[in-house]
Amino acid sequence: MPFGYNGKILRVDLSNKEISVDEPDEHFYRTYGGGSCLGAYYLLKELEPAVDPLSPENLLIFTGSVVTGAPAPGFSRSAIVSKSPLTGAIGESQAGGFFGSELKFAGYDAIVVKGKAEKPVYLSIRDGEVEIKEAAHLWGETTGETQAIIREELADERIVVTVIGQAGENLVRYACVLNNLKSAYGRMGMGAVMGSKNLKAVAVRGHKEVEMKDKDTVLRLAKRFSTNFKAESPDNDGLNDLGTAQYVMGQNEDGQLPTRNFQTGTMEGAENLYGQKMKETILVGRDGCYACPVRCKRVVKAADPFPVDPSYGGPEYETLAMLGSSCGVDDLVAVCKANELCNKYGLDTISTGGSIAFAMECYENGIITKEDTQGVELRFGNAKAMLEMVEKITRREGIGDILAEGVKRAAEKFGAGAEKFAIHVKGQEFPAHMPRAKGQLVLSYALSPLGADHLVSEHDPAFTPGAPSFFSDRVKPLGIQEPLEMRSIDYKKVRRFLYFQNVFSLLDTLTICFFTFAPVRYFTFDELVELVNAITDWQTSLWELLKLGERRIAMFRAFNVREGFTSEDDWLPERMFEPIRTGPREGQKVDKEELKKAIKLYYEMAGWDADGVPTKGKLAELDLFWIADELAKHGKFER
Ligand code: SF4
């Protein structure tokens, strides 16, 4: 019996209603770990290139990892992995909450879904038993209604329901998936893939404990975290008190709060979106994830000027910025309402905000008119218009049908120069962080196989001259010894980015919450290794774990290469090369020549060729030689 994982991966073919189980050996689990690394394995092995992401052939993989469900802070997360309908590249989205741990308790490490059900269905997985259940009566319902009906049908108020809303059914390319209504697998359109398969929900409940080699050590470290995190980890304390909304004012004061579609980084009225304001006005609770005392999620309730339902939680920093400041909106209740609608209909708040802000800028520049918006005065700052757009996008009504395709496709449709307002990388809308202010973010956005993604590496501020030594001390075991200037992208920054990227990729592979671990939060790298060993009995090391992270990135890259992505896709939108217009960072921009040099250097450091293709040598070193064969089959290099 393995420790940490079940050794069982559930297979469901919705086309022919076949259910089976894979039982990989320890070598597989130790090589691929879980999360999107495990998902990428299935995609590379079983998906032909150029498959339409919304066709039955695409795979949809729900997965935790070898350590998910262990009773310690941060081991709650899970990922959904698929070919993304938004980018056409590899897609993954992660969420906290309770789905990952519950799947483990139900006896499975992952679920691989393929095919398409003839009529809407949902999956019920209870203590190892799997049923495909009819869901025609749920189609058209919100996430909240669906969850309530499924819980009633299965007579289990505590069953964890992972569900899509109408946006997923309508194949909005950035539709998301929710678990327990508050934890979103937000990015890259995993909800649309689910909708394309006629899969409305997956309901999971289990009672099996995760077997661990050394439970006492896990419980000891978990207790130490709970007792000390507020006093010893400044960022974790802030997350508990104000949630990620704690970042709004710092971002604004430093000129990094995306405002009016990333034209600038400061907004008058930003204090209205701040966590403190939320706490003093509409906060009614804090929520969190399995086994974590941080409880960084917000629960808000309001009556006026918009009623806000607390069942759908409250907005994260990303939501406050993308549906707030980036749309020029400083009305907290309006943003909370938009957050509720996005969670209710199953829309990614980041891409939704990005798409609306893009349309607002097109409107203000005369590229689209009131006729195109069906009478909506789509100007920055118009909160009501922002909310109307959320409804239109969900229903694909009028201009909403175009915006539901994401900004890249919408800009092609609008023409007339709209492309310069489409802020995306590889088709994925920017999250709420400003590359023009942070060098590490320039590299993250340009180079991530996922497109614009703020969670592929730690950001610069904690590792700049003058930052508290708490942070810099934690990364010394990686060989990172000196702080670096915030905006630089020189060789030292590229090196640090590569190392941080491997760390974050490792955390993603193990579906661990980075809000609980180094480089910035409570647990150290040593404790990470100690916890993985206590759970799995692998006698592992930081070196082996970082290789796991590196392997995932190489697999992602190989998947994209096979799909036709090239080094030309590793780039930023034109706006990033133009100076920020106002505020403390006025005049700052990314330098194109410096970026070209940094990308070339990164490829060399990563073991990729000049086109950004992982070399045979690097793939072999990562125990991925089968991928070299796979790429050779598709003409990427000789066998
Ligand atoms: S820090 Fe927040 S997001 Fe992370 S596990 Fe804890 S409650 Fe969940």
Side-chain angles (χ1 to χ4, degrees):
M1 175 69 196
F3 291 109
Y5 55 96
N6 290 301
K8 284 188 173 72
I9 294 175
L10 180 66
R11 308 291 305 249
V12 180
D13 187 332
L14 292 172
S15 295
N16 55 26
K17 298 184 183 159
E18 249 175 43
I19 295 169
S20 60
V21 176
D22 287 349
E23 297 192 26
D25 59 14
E26 179 172 318
H27 184 276
F28 171 87
Y29 280 98
R30 197 157 175 158
T31 308
Y32 303 108
S36 45
C37 191
L38 183 149
Y41 171 87
Y42 276 96
L43 288 175
L44 280 158
K45 283 275 182 189
E46 297 187 11
L47 198 67
E48 285 297 319
V51 157
D52 177 352
L54 297 177
S55 71
E57 286 75 36
N58 198 7
L59 300 180
L60 182 66
I61 299 149
F62 301 80
T63 174
S65 80
V66 292
V67 292
T68 305
F75 290 82
S76 55
R77 291 175 78 78
S78 54
I80 303 183
V81 193
S82 190
K83 182 174 174 182
S84 166
L86 185 63
T87 64
I90 190 139
E92 81 143 347
S93 196
Q94 293 194 24
F98 295 83
F99 183 82
S101 47
E102 205 67 31
L103 183 63
K104 207 56 153 328
F105 306 154
Y108 298 106
D109 304 308
I111 314 167
V112 180
V113 179
K114 78 170 189 184
K116 176 181 181 177
E118 208 180 315
K119 291 185 181 148
V121 295
Y122 73 91
L123 285 180
S124 157
I125 302 169
R126 287 183 285 178
D127 288 315
E129 217 165 278
V130 184
E131 291 173 273
I132 302 174
K133 294 179 94 73
E134 200 262 317
H137 59 303
L138 301 172
W139 211 248
E141 299 289 357
T142 64
T143 55
E145 285 154 347
T146 304
Q147 175 175 285
I149 296 168
I150 289 177
R151 284 181 169 170
E152 199 181 325
E153 273 177 17
L154 300 178
D156 186 348
E157 255 312 295
R158 296 188 56 195
I159 197 160
V160 179
V161 184
T162 288
V163 60
I164 58 167
Q166 295 93 325
E169 296 173 9
N170 294 334
L171 309 182
V172 174
R173 284 186 189 269
Y174 44 86
C176 74
V177 182
L178 273 292
N179 85 63
N180 282 3
L181 306 186
K182 299 187 190 84
S183 297
Y185 303 89
R187 308 234 66 199
M188 304 204 78
M190 299 297 106
V193 179
M194 214 162 142
S196 75
K197 297 190 173 308
N198 270 337
L199 179 62
K200 180 72 178 171
V202 182
V204 179
R205 188 80 193 280
H207 298 86
K208 189 173 177 287
E209 258 195 52
V210 172
E211 293 281 338
M212 289 168 280
K213 174 65 182 171
D214 178 2
K215 192 173 174 181
D216 288 349
T217 293
V218 176
L219 293 178
R220 176 176 54 78
L221 288 169
K223 184 153 184 249
R224 200 164 72 67
F225 184 111
S226 300
T227 312
N228 300 323
F229 81 89
K230 286 192 187 176
E232 292 178 8
S233 176
D235 204 69
N236 281 129
D237 187 23
L239 283 169
N240 173 260
D241 188 30
L242 302 181
T244 51
Q246 70 167 326
Y247 301 124
V248 170
M249 283 316 283
Q251 292 281 88
N252 188 59
E253 279 155 17
D254 197 27
Q256 296 186 48
L257 184 71
T259 301
R260 293 185 292 282
N261 200 28
F262 289 84
Q263 292 181 59
T264 188
T266 44
M267 184 179 77
E268 263 182 49
E271 65 279 5
N272 295 328
L273 302 174
Y274 184 37
Q276 188 64 32
K277 174 78 184 266
M278 197 189 297
K279 184 176 162 184
E280 287 163 6
T281 55
I282 56 173
L283 189 77
V284 293
R286 294 174 172 82
D287 209 341
C289 308
Y290 166 75
C292 184
V294 178
R295 296 181 73 74
C296 67
K297 295 174 193 290
R298 307 294 89 180
V299 182
V300 298
K301 187 176 178 187
D304 193 44
F306 307 98
V308 178
D309 179 352
S311 329
Y312 294 95
E316 300 280 353
Y317 163 74
E318 300 296 326
T319 309
L320 291 161
M322 295 311 294
L323 286 157
S325 57
S326 198
C327 291
V329 172
D330 69 354
D331 179 337
L332 179 63
V333 177
V335 178
C336 290
K337 183 69 191 175
N339 179 70
E340 177 210 296
L341 294 178
C342 286
N343 285 359
K344 193 184 246 180
Y345 300 145
L347 278 174
D348 173 27
T349 57
I350 297 176
S351 284
T352 303
S355 299
I356 296 170
F358 156 78
M360 285 174 162
E361 196 166 4
C362 288
Y363 186 90
E364 293 206 342
N365 283 276
I367 293 173
I368 53 173
T369 65
K370 223 171 183 175
E371 211 175 301
D372 300 304
T373 62
Q374 296 81 47
V376 179
E377 188 74 42
L378 197 52
R379 294 192 177 279
F380 286 118
N382 186 343
K384 227 169 137 253
M386 180 270 288
L387 289 168
E388 274 186 66
M389 285 299 127
V390 174
E391 298 279 357
K392 283 182 184 295
I393 290 168
T394 301
R395 295 195 296 271
R396 280 186 170 272
E397 179 189 293
I399 193 171
D401 191 33
I402 299 171
L403 297 179
E405 294 288 292
V407 297
K408 181 169 181 264
R409 290 177 176 84
E412 285 161 14
K413 181 91 181 171
F414 290 164
E419 172 57 29
K420 64 175 180 291
F421 306 138
I423 312 299
H424 70 91
V425 176
K426 299 182 178 79
Q428 172 148 252
E429 291 74 19
F430 267 34
H433 304 269
M434 299 272 279
R436 286 176 283 184
K438 296 192 263 197
Q440 198 99 9
L441 204 65
V442 169
L443 302 170
S444 297
Y445 282 10
L447 286 161
S448 169
L450 300 168
D453 185 340
H454 59 300
L455 300 178
V456 298
S457 165
E458 190 48 65
H459 297 196
D460 299 74
F463 306 98
T464 48
S469 61
F470 174 86
F471 303 117
S472 44
D473 286 348
R474 316 200 123 212
V475 295
K476 285 188 177 151
L478 299 178
I480 296 172
Q481 303 205 39
E482 55 186 322
L484 300 175
E485 196 274 315
M486 183 103 148
R487 293 180 53 240
S488 74
I489 48 172
D490 64 2
Y491 75 94
K492 288 185 181 181
K493 189 64 75 71
V494 175
R495 173 177 176 270
R496 194 178 77 184
F497 168 70
L498 185 87
Y499 286 10
F500 278 2
Q501 193 189 23
N502 288 340
V503 169
F504 273 58
S505 182
L506 154 65
L507 297 177
D508 287 346
T509 296
L510 296 180
T511 59
I512 289 175
C513 177
F514 77 98
F515 280 162
T516 54
F517 276 89
V520 169
R521 280 88 189 189
Y522 187 83
F523 281 136
T524 63
F525 291 128
D526 281 348
E527 285 164 335
L528 171 63
V529 176
E530 195 179 353
L531 279 160
V532 174
N533 279 330
I535 296 165
T536 62
D537 194 28
W538 278 353
Q539 308 303 314
T540 191
S541 61
L542 187 57
W543 194 88
E544 186 192 12
L545 293 180
L546 287 172
K547 281 287 161 195
L548 197 50
E550 189 182 356
R551 187 174 297 122
R552 169 180 167 275
I553 295 163
M555 291 171 82
F556 276 19
R557 190 72 188 190
F559 182 92
N560 287 1
V561 165
R562 211 179 58 159
E563 294 294 332
F565 283 79
T566 69
S567 55
E568 282 179 21
D569 297 296
D570 294 335
W571 202 239
L572 296 175
E574 205 50 36
R575 173 153 289 165
M576 297 305 114
F577 306 110
E578 294 162 5
I580 295 176
R581 294 186 186 175
T582 54
R585 295 193 174 269
E586 186 178 341
Q588 293 185 356
K589 59 179 183 165
V590 180
D591 183 287
K592 279 187 186 174
E593 288 312 310
E594 279 181 27
L595 179 56
K596 275 185 206 160
K597 277 189 211 154
I599 288 174
K600 186 168 177 287
L601 196 58
Y602 171 87
Y603 289 170
E604 288 172 9
M605 284 190 198
W608 301 356
D609 71 14
D611 295 324
V613 181
T615 61
K616 264 197 260 190
K618 177 45 78 177
L619 290 169
E621 190 260 328
L622 292 171
D623 203 5
L624 295 173
F625 202 70
W626 60 274
I627 293 181
D629 267 351
E630 179 62 26
L631 292 182
K633 231 184 350 187
H634 296 285
K636 296 302 171 195
F637 42 61
E638 287 175 13
R639 278 171 199 257

